[in-house]
Structures are given as structure tokens and as C-alpha cells.
Amino acid sequence: MKSQVVTFLIKCPDQKGLVAKITSFFYEKGFNILSCQQYVNAIEDSYFMRVRLNAEGTNVSKEDLEKSFSALAKPLQFNWSVNYGDDTKNVAIMVSHTSHNLYDLLSRNKEGLLACNIKLVISNHNKLRHIAEMFNVPYYYLPVTKETKQEQEAQVMELLDSNNIDLTIMARYMQILSSNFINKYPEKIINIHHSFLPAFQGANPYKKAYERGVKLIGATAHYATEDLDEGPIIEQDVEPVTHESTPTTLKRIGADIEKLVLARAVKNHLNHQIIVSGNRAIVFPEAGE
């Protein structure tokens, strides 16, 4: 295997000797362990590990490594995945008419802060085409109505599949995706929303928040599931506000938080820092990446 960073994500029932067995396996295969992060959920008696390896000097092939690790994993009931760091993920962004998340993701990607290829932008409005064009990213305008929803989603799925999309980002895409759509891409759709949900739903949540005199506003990024905004949470953040804040300032502060939260969530996903367990996302911090 050529010199590269290999990342394993492992979850399994908690049991004695896991660290010794796993690290010994990689030592015997000739890997140098760059970082080894672990978490034990004592309530559910489950174990999680993220281990990053330097493959320089190893003679094992990818096929032999995975076959050997499967032999270790089966009796220990591992649910595991491996990434070799030699493929850049393809990303699609879905957006409606709010620009801040779209512009932020495209600019971060251009500056090399997101390790991905943003292949296309899909929107049910034509309003933000100029932003995609600024970054030379194809923009697909696919309007949708209640009557054409199924047909429009089929067009979206065709675009995602034909472009080999690994991750879809709902950067304030203001449409509810069908169960059929979401279940086709499990843990491959990240959504962002303001943390006022479900208390301040509707078209103008910041006005409602102002009327209630909120003291905190924030944002949540999560994997999309059939339960709308109840999927595994990847990132959240909040900022205190006061009675002096107007609906306009609340909206501005909320947009700034959304950009940071969404960017962190996307980066965590691309860096293989997340293990989903039930409806919870175990997010390991960066470890010398």
C-alpha cells in the first residue's frame, strides 16, 4: 500500500481487550498509528473508535487488509468502515433562495478548507444562479409544485446519481424531501436549520423569536431522516442576544451561526469523524488532521 492516511471507524458492543486487539492488529500489519480516539457509552454498553494510520512501509493490499480485518471484526461484532484518503468526495448543494450558506460553502471549498469536489448546485428557484456561476459550479433550476414534487425529485436523484454524489447538503433548501428520496441516501444528506425549531416554525421564525424575547439563538446541522428535523445531530451552536435585538439583527446573527455550524458538520463528515448510532451522531474531534 502506498504512503497514505487510512481511517477506520468502528462500533461494537463494549468488551475487554478491544484496544489491545485492534492496535495489535494494525501493528502486525506494519501500520503506524497516528491517532486513536475512543468513546464508551456505558448506558448502552457500546464502544466506538476512530483510528488513523500511516500506511507508509506496509506491504498489505487494500483487499488483504479488509479481509484480515473482517476476520478480526466478526467474532467481536464490529460494525466498521475504512477510508483510504485517496478519493475526494463529490458534493451537491441544494438551496432555495437564501444565499449565505451557499456562498460560504463555495468560498471555503475554493480556498481549500473543504476536502471535496462541489459538482453542482440544485435549486427550486433561479435566484442564486449568479453565485454558482461566480465559482464555475453548474446550477440546475428545478422548480417544484405540489403536483410536480415526485417528478422533480426524480430529476434531482438522476442528477445526484449521474454525478456520483457522495454527500448532499441542504443549505436552506426549503422543501420537505420525501421518504423515498431520503431513504435512498442514508447518512448522506446534511441539513441545516435554526435552533428555534420546533417552537418557531413557519416563514418568519426570527420575528416570532423577537416577539417572545428570546435570549439565545442558534443553529443545528444534522443528517436528514424521515422525521424531518429530528435526524442525528452533527453540530450545534448558539449565541446570546438581548432585548435590544431586532428581527433583522436576529436574522443576521442566525445566518452567521448557520454558516459556521454547517461548515463544521460538512467538514466532520468529509474527514470521517462521525459514527451514527441509532439517532445519535458520535462526532470525534479533529486529531492532528
Side-chain angles (χ1 to χ4, degrees), residues 44-113:
E44 300 177 0
D45 198 30
S46 53
Y47 177 85
F48 305 85
M49 174 183 278
R50 178 179 186 253
V51 57
R52 296 173 63 248
L53 313 159
N54 185 349
E56 184 176 4
T58 59
N59 296 317
V60 64
S61 67
K62 293 178 181 179
E63 293 75 17
D64 289 341
L65 173 62
E66 293 179 25
K67 183 177 180 180
S68 298
F69 194 78
S70 293
L72 170 71
K74 187 173 181 180
L76 298 173
Q77 301 178 59
F78 286 3
N79 186 323
W80 62 278
S81 63
V82 59
N83 177 267
Y84 296 98
D86 53 3
D87 63 327
T88 303
K89 300 300 183 185
N90 293 326
V91 170
I93 301 175
M94 298 182 70
V95 66
S96 288
H97 48 71
T98 305
S99 64
H100 56 274
N101 289 311
L102 173 64
Y103 187 89
D104 185 69
L105 290 169
L106 291 173
S107 60
R108 287 176 187 269
N109 183 245
K110 184 174 182 178
E111 293 171 7
L113 300 177

Side-chain angles (χ1 to χ4, degrees), residues 110-123:
K110 184 174 182 178
E111 293 171 7
L113 300 177
L114 294 176
C116 65
N117 294 319
I118 298 180
K119 298 276 286 186
L120 67 160
V121 175
I122 300 170
S123 181

Side-chain angles (χ1 to χ4, degrees), residues 5 8 10 21 28 45 68 80 82 97 100 123 129 141 150 164 168 185 191 204-205 218 234 238 248 256 269:
V5 175
F8 274 80
I10 303 164
K21 291 174 182 177
E28 291 167 2
D45 198 30
S68 298
W80 62 278
V82 59
H97 48 71
H100 56 274
S123 181
R129 178 182 295 275
Y141 168 46
Q150 186 174 349
N164 299 312
T168 300
Y185 309 103
N191 190 21
N204 200 338
I234 305 170
V238 295
T248 300
D256 288 342
H269 179 94

Side-chain angles (χ1 to χ4, degrees), residues 7 14 18 58 76 84 102 109 112 146 167 171 186 203 211 223 244 250 256 269 276 280 286:
T7 303
D14 190 27
L18 284 172
T58 59
L76 298 173
Y84 296 98
L102 173 64
N109 183 245
K146 185 177 180 180
L167 175 66
E211 292 168 349
Y223 286 117
E244 294 183 342
L250 290 176
D256 288 342
H269 179 94
V276 174
R280 301 178 71 225
E286 288 183 273

